[in-house]
Amino acid sequence: MLRRLLPILAGLVIVVLLTALRIADPFPVQVLREIAFDFYQRLHPRPQGDFPVRVIDIDEAALAEFGQWPWPRDRLAAVTDRLTELGAAAVGFDVLFPEIDRMSPSRIAAGLPGIDAATLPDYDAIFAAALSRSPSILGFSRTPSGRPLTGSPKAGFAISGPDPSERIPFLTGTAAPIPILRDAAPGLAALSLNSELSAGAVRRIPMLWTNGSQLFPTLSVEALRLAMGISTVVVFGDTAAEGYVDSIRLGDFTVPLTSEGDLWLYYSRPNPDLLVSAADLLGPNYQQLGDRIAGNIVLIGTSASGLLDLHNTTLGDNVAGVTIHAQAIEQILSGTYLSRPDWIAGLEIVSFLALGAFMVVVVLLLGPLVGIAAGALALGVAIGVSWWMFITEGFMLDPSYPLIGLTLLYLALVFFRFLTTERAKKQIRRAFGYYVAPSLLSEIEKNGDRLKLGGDVRRITVLFSDMRGFTSLSEQLEPRRILAILNTLFGALGHEIVGRMGTIDKFIGDAIMAFWNAPVDVPDHERKALRAALGMRQKLAELNQNDAFLLKADKVAVQELGIGIGISTGEALVGNMGLETRFDYSALGDTVNVASRVESACKEVGYDILVADPVRLIVADFAFLEAGALALKGKAERVVIYLLVGDADLAKSGAFSLLKATHAEALEALRTGRDTRGAIAECLALSAKLEPGLRKFYELLPGRRMDFVATETVVPITPAA
């Protein structure tokens, strides 16, 4: 009883710990939650609308037309006057003016002695005059190295309810407009998009700022205030949580905010109609823009990449900062908001506790498969509710923590179940580990009904390999050293087979039998078998170069080992064979016999890797050379075989193409009884660098004329589909 309850208790402890983590809400949990809300916005962005908001964009075209930034202040005065003339309801500059103009009289006179500053035009004064004639707004930016913001805001503020000033972002330092411009503009606002200097997407924008004694609006709030002719912004403190911000009111618009005074941005897709190039406004036909400017709130900013005012949005766009202020204005005008009321967090915590306890009971009592189905259903409901609340009410109920937390919980519960059943599996391993291949042990553990005689007919590729020179080596070395060489050899060659999804059937003395596509399906198994054979050839060559492999350090005179490999493909019976009390997983049938006989023919042919014709037909892009039709033991008809020289890359090479053509000429001469010495000599010369192992084949070729004459009457075996 205790053994069954212990995993449940442990699971509930994990649920409590994960719930505590959610309550603590560390930064990574917050990031995951915000990424989930970003995904929601991408699926369901705020609908676009025709709002009275425009952006004068100091874009690449404007910079190319009127010169690099910063522009002279008289040009900015022209921008301001033209917007005023066209009837803009408010003109907000998302541009900083913390220094006097570079063309100011004092600067020029200081750089050019003898020039009377009084005779020079004062561009700051010209710009200030234009600002005073316009419903304009200048801005300041929060910066740690700046000076504290002094003076009064242009907007009035009234606080209703508990004073939330302590929660509002504090202006430690600012880059503010020079006094002549600040005094002239009817509006003053913050341009910073974040209350903290942070990277990533702009998800919230502060609507309010404080210098410790007074409140200041952000650009979007100040632009709306001037456009609507409002003198005072009402700030509502949260009556349920004293010291927190609840919302602000601008005329008829009530804007819900976070407890720190931020607006959750709900982005719409970028709207090209929002932007007006500054080049068009400063051009001679600017009056044609009247319909787009009159009665609109106009913000002035830059999208030029060199001016470094580009930001990421939750929709994945990289946009100018001024357009984010414009999006905030549109959001307020549309009355479409996102929010996370206090009760949302409580609902998330309680829901996670309930879902976690449910998962513990289901997984540990009914099993992982039922548990994952039940968990998927529960998560589907939770995410569905979250999505419904987002698109209908704008409530942001976190879908990420249940998804990740319950996944971690499920993995932990499955691990507990694994621990409770591992002892039984170890007993099975001890009982059968000495008798069956490791590749089948997992199948036996999962399916006890496989422990019976019988099998299935399935298409497989079979490989037989045998060592050349091993018998003579056995006569020279004692058994202990022979065993060491065999273990090294089987380990290296077996790795090439298993690494390409092959099943090693058995080791027979110094021979190996392996097959592909059993006990599990292996796609493209013929190709994998050929690659394994080529890998075995390469691995043996590397071992032969290793003195320690053949114990040459003991000064034993031995020959390098060679290998013979035969490969065939076709249908075979694969399954458990033997006695009811002792059986082995193996394969038998004509395909197996052909592979074994083809391997034996390696000595007769004089080459190390031979394949039956069906393999060559399936993997036709490898480098094959015809080797004749052999009379194999147990076969009534001759079997067409091929030499496997290399892979597809070698087959595409010009050297192999030349060798293949010369090889065909030699075989044709052999079939017709003509002199083959010239063609074979040319083949030997071509193969010397390409594949030296072909030398023995060509040396034996003149004595094998009947193998090639016979190919004219043999019907090639067509591989089964």
Side-chain angles (χ1 to χ4, degrees), residues 582-610:
R582 177 71 173 92
F583 49 80
D584 188 20
Y585 187 84
S586 186
L588 57 86
D590 186 60
T591 299
V592 179
N593 295 334
V594 169
S596 176
R597 299 294 184 261
V598 169
E599 181 275 317
S600 299
C602 288
K603 296 178 183 179
E604 176 185 348
V605 172
Y607 196 64
D608 61 343
I609 305 178
L610 301 180

Side-chain angles (χ1 to χ4, degrees), residues 50-73:
D50 186 16
F51 298 103
V53 183
R54 294 291 181 267
V55 170
I56 301 300
D57 187 10
I58 304 172
D59 54 11
E60 304 288 354
L63 295 178
E65 178 73 19
F66 295 99
Q68 66 181 7
W69 186 263
W71 286 344
R73 301 273 163 87

Side-chain angles (χ1 to χ4, degrees), residues 470 473-474 476-489 542-561:
F470 197 81
L473 181 66
S474 302
Q476 301 177 55
L477 300 177
E478 60 183 15
R480 177 174 57 84
R481 295 183 176 179
I482 291 293
L483 180 61
I485 292 176
L486 272 180
N487 287 338
T488 302
L489 191 66
E542 294 173 2
L543 289 174
N544 280 326
Q545 298 302 313
N546 185 350
D547 288 346
F549 171 57
L550 293 179
L551 307 176
K552 293 178 182 178
D554 290 348
K555 299 181 180 180
V556 177
V558 295
Q559 239 179 339
E560 289 186 350
L561 292 180

Side-chain angles (χ1 to χ4, degrees), residues 346-367:
L347 177 62
E348 291 171 352
I349 293 170
V350 172
S351 299
F352 183 80
L353 270 172
L355 288 175
F358 172 73
M359 285 284 291
V360 169
V361 173
V362 172
V363 173
L364 295 180
L365 295 184
L366 301 181

Side-chain angles (χ1 to χ4, degrees), residues 259-281:
S259 59
E260 291 82 19
D262 293 349
L263 171 69
W264 279 95
L265 288 167
Y266 192 1
Y267 288 96
S268 64
R269 296 293 182 190
N271 183 6
D273 293 336
L274 176 71
L275 302 176
V276 177
S277 176
D280 295 335
L281 181 64

Side-chain angles (χ1 to χ4, degrees), residues 11-87:
L12 293 177
V13 169
I14 294 176
V15 172
V16 172
L17 292 176
L18 289 172
T19 304
L21 178 66
R22 171 61 188 85
I23 294 173
D25 203 24
F27 180 72
V29 174
Q30 298 177 31
V31 170
L32 291 173
R33 180 167 60 245
E34 293 190 343
I35 290 174
F37 296 147
D38 293 351
F39 182 66
Y40 276 6
Q41 286 205 43
R42 295 186 186 190
L43 293 178
H44 188 73
R46 178 171 56 82
Q48 288 183 346
D50 186 16
F51 298 103
V53 183
R54 294 291 181 267
V55 170
I56 301 300
D57 187 10
I58 304 172
D59 54 11
E60 304 288 354
L63 295 178
E65 178 73 19
F66 295 99
Q68 66 181 7
W69 186 263
W71 286 344
R73 301 273 163 87
D74 63 331
R75 185 172 298 143
L76 295 176
V79 168
T80 306
D81 285 337
R82 289 190 176 187
L83 290 174
T84 304
E85 176 188 343
L86 295 175

